[in-house]
Amino acid sequence: MTAFAHLHVHTQYSILDGASSIPSLIDKAKYLGMEAIAITDHGNMFGVKEFHNTAVKKGIKPIIGCEIYV
């Protein structure tokens, strides 16, 4: 299987744009055999600590990002 990682993902911390909880996102990535996944929430980084801790615990490489507006 070719390595693949989503690099533009919104969680429940992206108001009105994301609905995925971080634990379910990590579980799905693990289930699909992904080695890494990113979060890029809108204008905030409130979920970064939870995302990093959950991903590392489950053996997924966390890629931290943020979709910002200038």
Side-chain angles (χ1 to χ4, degrees):
M1 179 179 181
T2 304
F4 177 80
H6 281 287
L7 298 178
H8 187 151
V9 178
H10 298 296
T11 70
Q12 76 268 18
Y13 294 102
S14 283
I15 307 301
L16 300 176
D17 196 21
S20 300
S21 72
I22 289 171
S24 66
L25 199 64
I26 300 298
D27 288 342
K28 186 67 169 189
K30 186 78 172 171
Y31 173 77
L32 294 172
M34 294 180 178
E35 297 176 8
I37 192 167
I39 59 168
T40 53
D41 287 324
H42 286 287
N44 75 75
M45 297 182 80
F46 297 129
V48 168
K49 186 173 180 351
E50 177 186 359
F51 173 69
H52 181 271
N53 293 344
T54 305
V56 168
K57 185 190 313 183
K58 299 209 176 182
I60 301 285
K61 179 182 177 183
I63 302 170
I64 297 168
C66 185
E67 189 171 330
I68 61 171
Y69 309 98
V70 179

